Amino acid sequence: MHYNNYYPVDVVNGPGTRCTLFVSGCEHQCRGCYNKSTWRLDNGHAFTQEMEDNIINDLNDTRIKRRGLSLSGGDPLHPANLASVLKLVMRVKTECVGKDIWLWSGYVLAELTEHQQQIVDLIDVLVDGKFEQGKRDPSLVWKGSENQVIHYFNEIE
Protein backbone atom coordinates (compact mmCIF):
# COMPACT_ATOMS: atom_id res chain seq x y z
CA MET A 1 0.00 0.00 0.00
CA HIS A 2 1.02 3.60 -0.56
CA TYR A 3 -0.17 6.69 1.22
CA ASN A 4 -0.39 10.23 -0.04
CA ASN A 5 -0.30 12.10 3.25
CA TYR A 6 -0.30 11.57 6.98
CA TYR A 7 -1.29 14.20 9.53
CA PRO A 8 -0.31 13.26 13.11
CA VAL A 9 -2.47 16.12 14.43
CA ASP A 10 -5.68 16.86 12.53
CA VAL A 11 -8.88 18.62 13.58
CA VAL A 12 -10.66 18.62 10.20
CA ASN A 13 -11.26 14.97 9.25
CA GLY A 14 -13.56 13.77 12.02
CA PRO A 15 -14.44 14.91 15.52
CA GLY A 16 -11.77 16.03 17.97
CA THR A 17 -8.03 15.89 17.47
CA ARG A 18 -7.07 12.90 15.34
CA CYS A 19 -4.40 11.19 13.30
CA THR A 20 -5.38 11.10 9.62
CA LEU A 21 -3.97 8.86 6.90
CA PHE A 22 -4.76 9.50 3.23
CA VAL A 23 -4.08 6.25 1.39
CA SER A 24 -3.38 6.03 -2.33
CA GLY A 25 -5.57 4.23 -4.83
CA CYS A 26 -9.12 4.93 -5.90
CA GLU A 27 -11.20 3.19 -8.55
CA HIS A 28 -14.12 5.64 -8.27
CA GLN A 29 -12.36 8.75 -9.59
CA CYS A 30 -15.37 10.95 -8.82
CA ARG A 31 -15.89 14.08 -10.89
CA GLY A 32 -15.08 17.06 -8.70
CA CYS A 33 -12.90 15.09 -6.28
CA TYR A 34 -10.66 17.42 -4.28
CA ASN A 35 -8.11 14.67 -3.77
CA LYS A 36 -7.25 13.53 -7.30
CA SER A 37 -3.60 13.13 -6.38
CA THR A 38 -4.56 10.05 -4.34
CA TRP A 39 -6.15 8.11 -7.23
CA ARG A 40 -3.03 6.27 -8.42
CA LEU A 41 -2.05 3.24 -6.32
CA ASP A 42 1.65 4.09 -6.45
CA ASN A 43 1.26 7.76 -5.54
CA GLY A 44 3.06 9.08 -2.50
CA HIS A 45 5.07 6.97 -0.11
CA ALA A 46 5.24 3.25 0.62
CA PHE A 47 3.32 2.36 3.77
CA THR A 48 5.99 0.70 5.88
CA GLN A 49 6.04 -1.00 9.27
CA GLU A 50 7.81 2.11 10.55
CA MET A 51 4.93 4.30 9.37
CA GLU A 52 2.38 1.98 10.95
CA ASP A 53 4.34 2.12 14.22
CA ASN A 54 4.42 5.94 14.03
CA ILE A 55 0.63 6.07 13.78
CA ILE A 56 0.22 3.78 16.80
CA ASN A 57 2.74 5.84 18.79
CA ASP A 58 1.02 9.11 17.81
CA LEU A 59 -2.38 7.76 18.86
CA ASN A 60 -0.95 6.75 22.25
CA ASP A 61 1.02 9.99 22.79
CA THR A 62 -0.28 11.55 26.00
CA ARG A 63 1.22 14.98 25.26
CA ILE A 64 -1.34 15.55 22.49
CA LYS A 65 -4.50 13.58 23.23
CA ARG A 66 -6.06 12.22 20.06
CA ARG A 67 -9.60 10.95 19.88
CA GLY A 68 -8.83 8.49 17.10
CA LEU A 69 -7.76 7.65 13.58
CA SER A 70 -9.30 8.84 10.32
CA LEU A 71 -8.70 6.84 7.14
CA SER A 72 -9.38 8.52 3.83
CA GLY A 73 -7.81 8.74 0.44
CA GLY A 74 -7.92 7.58 -2.24
CA ASP A 75 -10.00 4.77 -0.81
CA PRO A 76 -8.96 2.69 2.20
CA LEU A 77 -11.26 -0.09 0.93
CA HIS A 78 -9.59 -0.30 -2.50
CA PRO A 79 -8.76 -4.00 -3.02
CA ALA A 80 -5.01 -3.25 -3.11
CA ASN A 81 -5.19 -1.53 0.31
CA LEU A 82 -7.19 -4.10 2.26
CA ALA A 83 -4.36 -6.12 3.83
CA SER A 84 -2.47 -3.08 5.13
CA VAL A 85 -5.60 -1.25 6.29
CA LEU A 86 -6.88 -4.35 8.10
CA LYS A 87 -3.55 -4.81 9.88
CA LEU A 88 -3.51 -1.14 10.93
CA VAL A 89 -7.11 -1.16 12.13
CA MET A 90 -6.54 -4.34 14.14
CA ARG A 91 -3.51 -2.78 15.82
CA VAL A 92 -5.42 0.40 16.66
CA LYS A 93 -8.23 -1.65 18.22
CA THR A 94 -5.84 -3.70 20.36
CA GLU A 95 -3.08 -1.18 21.17
CA CYS A 96 -4.91 2.16 21.32
CA VAL A 97 -7.62 1.67 23.90
CA GLY A 98 -10.52 4.10 23.65
CA LYS A 99 -9.60 5.47 20.21
CA ASP A 100 -12.25 5.54 17.51
CA ILE A 101 -11.73 4.86 13.82
CA TRP A 102 -13.48 6.77 11.03
CA LEU A 103 -13.20 5.63 7.42
CA TRP A 104 -14.30 7.33 4.18
CA SER A 105 -14.98 5.12 1.16
CA GLY A 106 -16.64 5.43 -2.22
CA TYR A 107 -17.91 1.87 -1.82
CA VAL A 108 -21.43 1.46 -0.40
CA LEU A 109 -21.94 -0.58 2.79
CA ALA A 110 -24.53 -2.93 1.26
CA GLU A 111 -22.18 -3.86 -1.60
CA LEU A 112 -18.91 -4.52 0.27
CA THR A 113 -16.90 -7.66 -0.37
CA GLU A 114 -16.16 -10.06 2.47
CA HIS A 115 -12.63 -8.63 2.81
CA GLN A 116 -13.87 -5.02 2.88
CA GLN A 117 -16.48 -5.98 5.47
CA GLN A 118 -13.75 -7.41 7.73
CA ILE A 119 -12.36 -3.89 8.07
CA VAL A 120 -15.74 -2.21 8.46
CA ASP A 121 -16.59 -4.66 11.28
CA LEU A 122 -13.70 -3.16 13.26
CA ILE A 123 -14.31 0.57 12.72
CA ASP A 124 -16.65 2.96 14.51
CA VAL A 125 -17.85 5.16 11.67
CA LEU A 126 -18.07 4.64 7.92
CA VAL A 127 -18.84 7.46 5.52
CA ASP A 128 -19.80 5.64 2.33
CA GLY A 129 -20.73 6.45 -1.23
CA LYS A 130 -19.06 8.19 -4.12
CA PHE A 131 -18.80 11.95 -4.11
CA GLU A 132 -21.42 13.28 -6.54
CA GLN A 133 -20.73 16.79 -7.76
CA GLY A 134 -24.42 17.42 -8.54
CA LYS A 135 -25.30 16.61 -4.92
CA ARG A 136 -22.43 18.60 -3.40
CA ASP A 137 -23.36 20.58 -0.32
CA PRO A 138 -20.65 22.51 1.56
CA SER A 139 -22.88 22.74 4.65
CA LEU A 140 -22.78 18.98 5.21
CA VAL A 141 -20.68 17.73 8.12
CA TRP A 142 -18.16 14.91 7.47
CA LYS A 143 -19.34 14.29 3.91
CA GLY A 144 -19.23 16.16 0.62
CA SER A 145 -22.46 15.22 -1.13
CA GLU A 146 -26.02 14.43 -0.07
CA ASN A 147 -25.93 10.83 -1.35
CA GLN A 148 -23.17 9.84 1.05
CA VAL A 149 -24.23 8.11 4.26
CA ILE A 150 -22.62 8.25 7.69
CA HIS A 151 -22.92 4.89 9.45
CA TYR A 152 -22.29 4.98 13.22
CA PHE A 153 -21.52 1.44 14.36
CA ASN A 154 -20.50 2.16 17.93
CA GLU A 155 -21.58 4.67 20.51
CA ILE A 156 -19.04 7.50 20.32
CA GLU A 157 -18.81 10.61 22.46
Side-chain angles (χ1 to χ4, degrees):
M1 179 172 86
H2 280 73
Y3 70 98
N4 187 270
N5 244 323
Y6 171 63
Y7 298 102
V9 179
D10 182 17
V11 295
V12 176
N13 295 289
T17 302
R18 320 183 60 75
C19 295
T20 299
L21 180 69
F22 288 90
V23 303
S24 297
C26 186
E27 296 177 315
H28 311 296
Q29 301 185 2
C30 304
R31 188 172 153 259
C33 176
Y34 71 93
N35 232 353
K36 288 181 181 179
S37 62
T38 65
W39 289 359
R40 283 191 16 240
L41 281 168
D42 62 351
N43 181 274
H45 318 277
F47 188 75
T48 62
Q49 184 64 50
E50 180 182 7
M51 186 64 211
E52 182 181 302
D53 292 344
N54 284 343
I55 294 171
I56 298 300
N57 290 335
D58 288 341
L59 285 167
N60 286 323
D61 185 349
T62 57
R63 295 170 296 165
I64 301 173
K65 185 170 170 43
R66 281 112 167 155
R67 178 172 170 163
L69 174 66
S70 292
L71 296 167
S72 191
D75 198 320
L77 297 182
H78 185 290
N81 295 333
L82 296 178
S84 295
V85 171
L86 178 61
K87 184 175 178 243
L88 174 61
V89 166
M90 288 173 67
R91 280 194 69 192
V92 171
K93 283 299 175 187
T94 58
E95 298 178 37
C96 305
V97 178
K99 305 299 182 189
D100 65 21
I101 301 173
W102 283 54
L103 188 148
W104 280 258
S105 177
Y107 298 99
V108 177
L109 181 61
E111 299 171 356
L112 296 179
T113 68
E114 181 181 330
H115 290 118
Q116 290 169 323
Q117 189 63 51
Q118 277 184 294
I119 293 167
V120 171
D121 287 344
L122 295 171
I123 66 171
D124 301 285
V125 178
L126 171 68
V127 182
D128 78 352
K130 297 176 186 177
F131 172 76
E132 293 184 20
Q133 180 125 5
K135 296 181 180 180
R136 178 182 175 271
D137 182 347
S139 71
L140 295 172
V141 179
W142 312 131
K143 58 184 188 171
S145 58
E146 293 172 0
N147 61 294
Q148 294 173 310
V149 177
I150 303 174
H151 302 274
Y152 294 92
F153 301 120
N154 297 308
E155 204 54 43
I156 55 175
E157 300 171 11

